[in-house]
Short mmCIF file of all heavy atoms in Angstrom, two decimals:
data_model
loop_
_atom_site.label_atom_id
_atom_site.label_comp_id
_atom_site.label_asym_id
_atom_site.label_seq_id
_atom_site.Cartn_x
_atom_site.Cartn_y
_atom_site.Cartn_z
N GLN A 29 59.37 -58.93 -73.15
CA GLN A 29 59.34 -59.08 -74.61
C GLN A 29 60.74 -59.10 -75.20
O GLN A 29 60.91 -59.53 -76.34
CB GLN A 29 58.53 -57.95 -75.24
CG GLN A 29 57.05 -58.13 -75.05
CD GLN A 29 56.25 -57.15 -75.86
OE1 GLN A 29 56.76 -56.37 -76.64
NE2 GLN A 29 54.94 -57.18 -75.68
N ASN A 30 61.75 -58.65 -74.47
CA ASN A 30 63.11 -58.65 -74.98
C ASN A 30 63.89 -59.90 -74.60
O ASN A 30 65.05 -60.03 -74.99
CB ASN A 30 63.86 -57.41 -74.51
CG ASN A 30 63.58 -56.24 -75.42
OD1 ASN A 30 63.50 -56.40 -76.62
ND2 ASN A 30 63.42 -55.07 -74.83
N ILE A 31 63.30 -60.82 -73.88
CA ILE A 31 63.99 -62.08 -73.55
C ILE A 31 64.35 -62.86 -74.82
O ILE A 31 65.50 -63.29 -74.96
CB ILE A 31 63.16 -62.91 -72.55
CG1 ILE A 31 63.15 -62.23 -71.18
CG2 ILE A 31 63.72 -64.33 -72.43
CD1 ILE A 31 62.22 -62.87 -70.18
N PRO A 32 63.43 -63.06 -75.79
CA PRO A 32 63.84 -63.77 -77.01
C PRO A 32 64.92 -63.02 -77.79
O PRO A 32 65.81 -63.65 -78.38
CB PRO A 32 62.55 -63.86 -77.84
CG PRO A 32 61.46 -63.69 -76.86
CD PRO A 32 61.99 -62.82 -75.78
N THR A 33 64.88 -61.71 -77.77
CA THR A 33 65.90 -60.92 -78.45
C THR A 33 67.26 -61.14 -77.81
O THR A 33 68.26 -61.33 -78.51
CB THR A 33 65.53 -59.42 -78.41
OG1 THR A 33 64.24 -59.26 -78.97
CG2 THR A 33 66.53 -58.59 -79.18
N ALA A 34 67.31 -61.12 -76.49
CA ALA A 34 68.57 -61.34 -75.78
C ALA A 34 69.12 -62.74 -76.04
O ALA A 34 70.33 -62.92 -76.23
CB ALA A 34 68.38 -61.10 -74.29
N ILE A 35 68.23 -63.73 -76.07
CA ILE A 35 68.67 -65.10 -76.35
C ILE A 35 69.22 -65.20 -77.76
O ILE A 35 70.28 -65.82 -77.99
CB ILE A 35 67.51 -66.08 -76.13
CG1 ILE A 35 67.17 -66.17 -74.65
CG2 ILE A 35 67.83 -67.46 -76.69
CD1 ILE A 35 65.90 -66.94 -74.34
N LEU A 36 68.55 -64.59 -78.73
CA LEU A 36 69.02 -64.64 -80.11
C LEU A 36 70.37 -63.95 -80.27
O LEU A 36 71.27 -64.47 -80.93
CB LEU A 36 67.97 -64.00 -81.02
CG LEU A 36 68.18 -64.16 -82.52
CD1 LEU A 36 68.19 -65.62 -82.91
CD2 LEU A 36 67.09 -63.42 -83.27
N ILE A 37 70.54 -62.80 -79.64
CA ILE A 37 71.82 -62.09 -79.73
C ILE A 37 72.92 -62.89 -79.04
O ILE A 37 74.05 -62.97 -79.54
CB ILE A 37 71.67 -60.67 -79.15
CG1 ILE A 37 70.80 -59.84 -80.09
CG2 ILE A 37 73.03 -60.01 -78.95
CD1 ILE A 37 70.42 -58.49 -79.56
N ALA A 38 72.62 -63.50 -77.90
CA ALA A 38 73.61 -64.33 -77.22
C ALA A 38 74.02 -65.53 -78.08
O ALA A 38 75.20 -65.90 -78.13
CB ALA A 38 73.06 -64.80 -75.88
N LEU A 39 73.06 -66.12 -78.78
CA LEU A 39 73.38 -67.25 -79.66
C LEU A 39 74.26 -66.81 -80.83
O LEU A 39 75.14 -67.56 -81.26
CB LEU A 39 72.10 -67.89 -80.18
CG LEU A 39 71.34 -68.74 -79.18
CD1 LEU A 39 70.04 -69.21 -79.78
CD2 LEU A 39 72.18 -69.91 -78.76
N ILE A 40 74.04 -65.62 -81.33
CA ILE A 40 74.87 -65.14 -82.43
C ILE A 40 76.30 -64.91 -81.95
O ILE A 40 77.26 -65.25 -82.64
CB ILE A 40 74.25 -63.88 -83.06
CG1 ILE A 40 72.99 -64.28 -83.82
CG2 ILE A 40 75.24 -63.18 -83.99
CD1 ILE A 40 72.19 -63.15 -84.37
#
Side-chain angles (χ1 to χ4, degrees):
Q29 286 189 4
N30 276 321
I31 290 172
T33 304
I35 291 171
L36 189 60
I37 290 172
L39 285 175
I40 290 173

